[in-house]
């Protein structure tokens, strides 16, 4: 018997069917965020200042992608070392303008056709994001909630344009695109008026979402945040704001694992939120002190998120995306580590002896429930993971390939 066959028997004795688990893992895509590949730079050259707009990647590891083709080449390398079928999550600032100048408010599908064709040729679905940052019109710190009507209208048009692009992506690829709205709006120091920007944000969002778009092509999500660089004292789009907005308007809520208080667990929010909104978008991330965007690991918070998705039978209503950017390590390796860790967390959750846990809970045997949780941590998960890699023709030891790619491709940039 090989290691997988032994693991299969071990899990069967705990009431877990590893074949079913492997099938479920195989049909759960991860939406891979383009922005880890170039430190959230994009290719528009608008002369914006990232640090001034609430997002900052730190580090200067050599070999960063400088063009859409280089970024696609890097994504292909990463995807070849991540088992399963996945998606690309693209930001509007990755538009291909071909050297021309174009306002974000005027973007159409043409600027993204290269990305769509590439995704289609590789069998990838796509998700999309309007970019409300790294732009002169975001430099005041306010976009959709700006007191300046001209600024607000510009970003409203951008949001509308992006929903149409999202719908066209979904239509062309035959796979629903989730278009996620995150804005950096907020203030460094104490505002005197917390109310007005929120009222303006609500009506701006209503305008952005006013056009009817077929939900099989595009779904809208809204993402909250606790604080950011330059928005330490006040974030217009707080959790309460977007929770209210999503419930009222039946939008998807995007929960980013790095956007809450450090001791607050995203996992516990899932069942509450899905009781009132139709679907969820996750930005799987790892907060470290003030940073919300470290590379995802197979850690307790990530496992707890996946446990909730499995235990609540929420996988069918949840879109799993990644959101981190580390410019201090090999960027392709960052994608691979984060994606594989997310998949391992899901595998861990799928392999838990849920029937046993539920039986113990129903009986009121809480000591036994805790014991099963602890004992199941050392069941042979690694053998099931290796079987998943084998079936997807992806190596266990991918580091040698990344090292080689580093010397053959990245070193020449
Ligand atoms: C920022 C949000 C947002 C961005 C991306 C680039 O705090 O998490 O999701 O990271 O849209
Ligand atoms: Zn996010």
């Amino acid at each position: 018997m090989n290691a997988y066959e032994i693991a299969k028997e071990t899990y069967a004795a705990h009431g877990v069917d590893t074949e079913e688990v492997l099938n479920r893992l195989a049909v759960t895509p991860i939406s891979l965020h383009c922005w880890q590949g170039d430190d959230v730079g994009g290719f528009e050259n608008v002369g914006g200042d990232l640090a001034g707009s609430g997002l900052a990647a730190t580090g200067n590891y050599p070999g960063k992608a400088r063009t859409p083709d280089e970024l696609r080449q890097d994504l292909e390398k990463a995807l070849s070392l991540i088992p399963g079928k996945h998606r690309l999550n693209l930001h509007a600032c990755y538009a291909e303008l071909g050297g021309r100048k174009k306002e974000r408010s005027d973007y159409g599908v043409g600027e993204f056709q290269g990305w769509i064709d590439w995704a289609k040729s590789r069998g990838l679905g796509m998700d999309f994001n309007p970019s409300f940052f790294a732009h002169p019109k975001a430099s005041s710190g306010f976009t959709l909630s700006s007191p300046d009507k001209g600024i607000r209208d510009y970003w409203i048009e951008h949001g509308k344009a992006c929903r149409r692009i999202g719908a066209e992506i979904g239509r062309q690829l035959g796979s629903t695109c989730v278009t996620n709205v995150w804005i950096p709006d907020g203030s460094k120091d104490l505002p005197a008026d917390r109310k007005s920007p929120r009222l303006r944000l609500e009506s701006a969002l209503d305008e952005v979402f006013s056009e009817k778009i077929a939900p099989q092509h595009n779904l809208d999500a809204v993402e909250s945040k606790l604080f950011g660089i330059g928005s330490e004292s006040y974030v217009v789009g707080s959790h309460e704001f977007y929770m209210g907005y999503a419930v009222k308007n039946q939008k998807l809520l995007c929960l980013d694992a790095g956007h809450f208080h450090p001791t607050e667990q995203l996992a516990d929010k899932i069942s509450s939120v899905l009781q009132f909104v139709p679907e969820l978008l996750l930005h799987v991330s790892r907060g470290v002190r003030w940073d919300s965007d470290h590379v995802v690991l197979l850690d307790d918070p990530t496992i707890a998120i996946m446990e909730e998705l499995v235990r609540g039978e929420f996988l069918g209503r949840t879109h799993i995306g990644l959101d981190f950017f580390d410019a201090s390590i090999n960027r392709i390796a960052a994608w691979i580590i984060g994606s594989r860790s997310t998949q391992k967390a899901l595998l861990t959750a799928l392999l838990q002896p849920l029937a046993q846990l539920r039986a113990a809970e129903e009986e009121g045997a809480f000591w036994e429930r805790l014991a099963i949780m602890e004992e199941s941590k050392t069941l042979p998960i690694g053998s099931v993971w290796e079987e998943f890699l084998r079936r997807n023709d992806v190596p266990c030891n991918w580091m040698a390939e990344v090292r080689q790619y580093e010397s053959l491709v990245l070193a020449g940039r």
Side-chain angles (χ1 to χ4, degrees):
M1 274 214 285
N2 67 27
Y4 173 65
E5 282 161 359
I6 297 168
K8 186 176 172 179
E9 285 195 0
T10 308
Y11 279 107
H14 288 80
V16 177
D17 178 346
T18 54
E19 286 298 313
E20 196 192 311
V21 165
L22 288 171
N23 290 337
R24 289 179 75 188
L25 191 60
V27 298
T28 308
I30 308 287
S31 197
L32 196 61
H33 54 317
C34 70
W35 54 92
Q36 165 58 60
D38 74 330
D39 318 337
V40 213
F43 303 117
E44 305 160 289
N45 268 321
V46 288
D49 171 16
L50 264 186
S53 304
L55 291 178
T58 46
N60 58 353
Y61 200 83
K64 167 166 92 170
R66 297 159 302 179
T67 64
D69 283 334
E70 287 182 355
L71 188 57
R72 286 190 278 261
Q73 185 186 16
D74 291 354
L75 278 161
E76 279 177 21
K77 188 73 218 174
L79 286 164
S80 76
L81 298 170
I82 300 166
K85 277 226 151 293
H86 301 290
R87 304 173 65 80
L88 169 71
N89 194 6
L90 193 71
H91 241 287
C93 56
Y94 290 75
E96 294 187 77
L97 301 177
R100 287 164 298 130
K101 274 247 169 265
K102 193 159 190 175
E103 289 296 337
R104 285 186 187 169
S105 51
D106 295 334
Y107 281 179
V109 74
E111 283 76 47
F112 301 94
Q113 198 57 53
W115 284 106
I116 301 171
D117 292 344
W118 174 79
K120 189 165 203 170
S121 72
R122 271 134 195 98
L124 301 167
M126 269 178 73
D127 299 302
F128 198 56
N129 308 260
S131 305
F132 295 96
F133 51 84
H135 190 280
K137 287 195 161 65
S139 59
S140 70
F142 292 89
T143 62
L144 287 179
S145 74
S146 170
D148 179 334
K149 186 170 185 309
I151 299 275
R152 226 160 52 231
D153 286 347
Y154 179 85
W155 291 114
I156 288 170
E157 287 310 310
H158 179 56
K160 286 181 167 177
C162 286
R163 290 182 76 230
R164 287 184 209 119
I165 295 162
E168 186 55 19
I169 289 172
R171 196 191 62 74
Q172 287 193 31
L173 297 179
S175 170
T176 312
C177 172
V178 177
T179 298
N180 179 50
V181 170
W182 173 76
I183 60 166
D185 300 30
S187 66
K188 181 184 176 81
D189 224 323
L190 297 170
D193 180 3
R194 291 173 185 263
K195 184 174 82 174
S196 302
R198 289 187 171 134
L199 291 171
R200 288 194 293 267
L201 177 57
E202 182 181 9
S203 56
L205 288 170
D206 288 347
E207 279 196 60
V208 168
F209 297 135
S210 60
E211 195 173 312
K212 284 253 170 305
I213 284 193
Q216 80 262 31
H217 295 147
N218 183 74
L219 291 170
D220 305 305
V222 288
E223 179 181 6
S224 68
K225 191 163 177 170
L226 180 66
F227 79 94
I229 300 168
S231 61
E232 289 84 355
S233 301
Y234 172 61
V235 169
V236 183
S238 61
H239 178 59
E240 290 72 13
F241 176 89
Y242 280 123
M243 178 85 199
Y245 191 87
V247 170
K248 180 175 175 189
N249 298 287
Q250 289 299 288
K251 296 294 179 193
L252 276 63
L253 189 68
C254 173
L255 296 176
D256 184 312
H259 287 191
F260 297 92
H261 288 277
T263 58
E264 203 176 350
Q265 289 274 326
L266 192 152
D268 184 51
K269 301 177 188 302
I270 293 171
S271 57
S272 303
V273 165
L274 278 175
Q275 202 166 325
F276 301 104
V277 301
E279 293 181 21
L280 203 62
L281 170 62
L282 292 182
H283 274 186
V284 183
S285 192
R286 175 166 55 108
V288 175
R289 303 191 189 281
W290 55 268
D291 178 61
S292 60
D293 293 296
H294 273 59
V295 178
V296 171
L297 302 179
L298 177 62
D299 56 11
D300 287 348
T302 313
I303 293 171
I305 290 168
M306 298 305 162
E307 283 171 352
E308 273 307 298
L309 299 185
V310 171
R311 293 175 185 171
E313 291 170 13
F314 294 135
L315 273 169
R317 290 168 64 197
T318 305
H319 306 260
I320 304 175
L322 304 179
D323 186 9
F324 50 80
F325 29 97
D326 189 337
S328 74
I329 58 173
N330 181 305
R331 297 169 182 83
I332 294 140
W335 268 324
I336 299 168
I337 295 165
S339 305
R340 288 170 62 133
S341 299
T342 303
Q343 288 181 295
K344 284 182 202 163
L346 176 57
L347 177 63
T348 305
L350 289 166
L351 285 172
Q352 283 195 351
L354 193 50
Q356 292 183 356
L357 286 170
R358 288 208 172 120
E361 188 163 283
E362 268 160 37
E363 263 178 52
F366 301 145
W367 66 268
E368 196 171 340
R369 182 184 61 186
L370 194 61
I372 296 165
M373 285 179 186
E374 278 307 284
E375 292 299 330
S376 66
K377 285 181 183 170
T378 46
L379 290 177
I381 178 175
S383 303
V384 183
W385 172 248
E386 280 169 22
E387 179 66 9
F388 187 63
L389 294 172
R390 201 185 57 75
R391 290 186 189 184
N392 283 281
D393 212 12
V394 168
C396 280
N397 184 358
W398 51 271
M399 286 82 95
E401 282 207 34
V402 169
R403 215 172 287 127
Q404 194 185 26
Y405 188 79
E406 216 171 41
S407 54
L408 289 180
V409 181
L410 302 186
R413 289 184 183 163

